[in-house]
Amino acid sequence: MTGDTPAPFTADDYRARMERAARSAADAGLAGLLVAPGPDMVWLTGYTPTAVTERLTVLVLAPGRDPVLVVPTLEAPDAEHAAGATALTLRDWTDGKDPYAVTAALIDHSGRFGISDNTWAMHLLGLQRTLPGTAYASLTEALPMLRAVKDAAELDLLAAAGAAADQAFEEIRKVPFAGRRESDVGHDLADLLRRFGHSQVDFTIVGSGPNGANPHHEVGDRVIQDGDMVVLDFGGLKDGYGSDTTRTVHVGEPTEEERRVHDIVRAAQEEGFRAVRPGVACQEVDRAARAVITDAGYGEYFIHRTGHGIGVTTHEPPYMIEGEEQPLVPGMCFSVEPGIYLPGRFGVRIEDIVTVTEDGGRRLNNTTRDMVIVD
């Protein structure tokens, strides 16, 4: 990719993804995959229907068979222009016909299939009614690592999204905070993400003072005051790939305690990052970050996992959490975001997106992790 315009994925890229997905299904003991509109379909085919409705659209992948995209006839012209369309066969159906019968003709009538998590219940029930001998498992359960390992082009896109979020932070730290509502700063953040190339803003958390102790506060009408700690967590999609970063700033000079808590979280985030290397279980990243906070006496105030995967969505597997024994693999991308949340007082979180390299990890967010003082 050159400049700010990434090279588009080709039909060959999508063909390789669909072949890999079919092989993964076979390795998991599945008869195939059924993929509804959503992030999995976008990643596998490049196709996003103009509208997701009660009309069935489903990608059918099975080992040893060509991929087939079942679409309503009125959506077929758009599907034909998808980037991955030449790597699959389109099978359209018209109103008045049974789309489940069309799909049934393409799959094993007694197989167990992985099905995308966002499939409408009416469609899953329709398939079960038509094929009572089939069984289904969600893709997150059956193939949690399907999209987890990114190729070089995907890593470039994630790095560009991270750099754009970093630019947004460098600009937001220049704006006035004191005397303005959280929602005002949140709107500024959303505008900055769009200015730096995001087509979609997924969240802009601005948690000031006691609101910062709620990790998912987002924004409210509270007026930010001098002396507030302010958690800024924001991200979205740029060129189809996600950003997600958190920095905690302070309005005016912080107290000694506020500095100490921020330093603890910064050290925890660093230890979580240092734990990243191939072959290490995901839970070890969580353990490394959590140990710093626990040893400092704040363990009960770190109330969420240390991280989540990111790609064509801002939250996806793998998860950096106790009990997740999935080994890290080069190309995986995820957040490292420990925090301390003191109810009724303030919160601190520091988050970078990190990718696993051949011998460690690389941050995709590079703004300062020191406490930033704002006006």
Side-chain angles (χ1 to χ4, degrees):
M1 100 185 181
T2 59
D4 292 328
T5 304
F9 293 116
T10 67
D12 286 341
D13 293 325
Y14 292 113
R15 180 179 291 105
R17 291 177 184 178
M18 287 188 282
E19 289 174 352
R20 172 151 62 99
R23 287 195 303 272
S24 297
D27 291 343
L30 299 171
L33 304 179
L34 302 176
V35 182
D40 292 312
M41 182 173 286
V42 172
W43 184 76
L44 287 163
T45 69
Y47 176 53
T48 302
T50 54
V52 179
T53 70
E54 72 284 356
R55 293 183 174 94
L56 178 70
T57 296
V58 63
L59 173 68
V60 180
L61 297 177
R65 300 183 186 179
D66 291 336
V68 178
L69 181 61
V70 176
V71 296
T73 299
L74 73 170
E75 299 285 348
D78 288 336
E80 289 170 353
H81 289 95
T86 58
L88 50 76
T89 299
L90 284 177
R91 187 72 54 84
D92 66 316
W93 61 276
T94 58
D95 285 351
K97 298 290 181 65
D98 183 352
Y100 307 112
V102 174
T103 306
L106 304 171
I107 64 177
D108 181 349
H109 288 197
S110 59
R112 180 172 180 266
F113 294 87
I115 191 163
S116 51
D117 296 8
N118 55 327
T119 303
W120 283 20
M122 65 179 288
H123 294 320
L124 176 56
L125 293 170
L127 289 166
Q128 290 177 318
R129 184 173 59 250
T130 303
L131 297 172
T134 54
Y136 302 89
S138 74
L139 283 187
T140 292
E141 173 192 341
L143 294 177
M145 297 298 116
L146 179 63
R147 305 195 317 257
V149 178
K150 276 64 179 178
D151 62 26
E154 290 181 293
L155 291 174
D156 283 347
L157 289 165
L158 283 161
D166 284 356
Q167 288 177 293
F169 176 72
E170 294 295 354
E171 291 300 314
I172 200 67
R173 60 187 288 185
K174 300 174 185 176
V175 309
F177 278 68
R180 302 176 69 215
R181 295 175 299 175
E182 292 172 342
S183 57
D184 296 329
V185 177
H187 291 150
D188 288 344
L189 269 173
D191 289 344
L192 286 166
L193 286 171
R194 294 188 185 98
R195 183 199 303 178
F196 293 118
H198 282 64
S199 60
Q200 178 177 311
V201 176
D202 286 348
F203 50 89
T204 55
I205 292 173
V206 181
S208 65
N211 288 340
N214 176 358
H216 283 173
H217 167 68
E218 295 200 359
V219 297
D221 290 329
R222 183 180 184 275
V223 175
I224 301 170
Q225 303 170 22
D226 186 62
D228 278 349
M229 195 84 86
V230 185
V231 178
L232 302 172
D233 183 353
F234 51 97
L237 298 183
K238 179 182 186 294
D239 297 316
Y241 279 76
S243 69
D244 185 1
T245 188
T246 307
R247 295 293 184 262
T248 302
V249 302
H250 197 277
V251 185
E253 285 301 314
T255 65
E256 181 179 338
E257 181 191 21
E258 288 170 333
R259 282 195 180 278
R260 182 173 69 254
V261 171
H262 191 279
D263 286 346
I264 292 166
V265 174
R266 181 180 59 183
Q269 207 271 346
E270 178 66 22
E271 286 305 304
F273 170 69
R274 288 179 179 275
V276 175
R277 60 186 183 277
V280 168
C282 291
Q283 67 181 359
E284 295 301 330
V285 178
D286 182 86
R287 288 174 176 177
R290 197 169 300 276
V292 175
I293 293 174
T294 299
D295 290 348
Y298 290 91
E300 66 183 292
Y301 303 111
F302 181 9
I303 57 177
H304 56 72
R305 65 196 175 201
T306 293
H308 58 82
I310 191 169
V312 293
T313 57
T314 49
H315 280 212
E316 62 185 45
Y319 298 104
M320 306 302 112
I321 190 171
E322 181 67 30
E324 179 51 80
E325 298 180 349
Q326 167 67 41
L328 298 181
V329 176
M332 284 182 174
C333 291
F334 49 84
S335 65
V336 178
E337 52 176 305
I340 293 174
Y341 309 93
L342 303 179
R345 301 182 62 204
F346 65 88
V348 176
R349 182 165 65 257
I350 299 173
E351 174 186 14
D352 294 327
I353 298 303
V354 172
T355 183
V356 184
T357 64
E358 294 297 330
D359 57 2
R362 175 169 65 95
R363 298 181 193 269
L364 301 187
N365 295 107
N366 295 290
T367 55
T368 182
R369 284 166 286 279
D370 294 337
M371 182 182 287
V372 170
I373 307 300
V374 297
D375 295 328

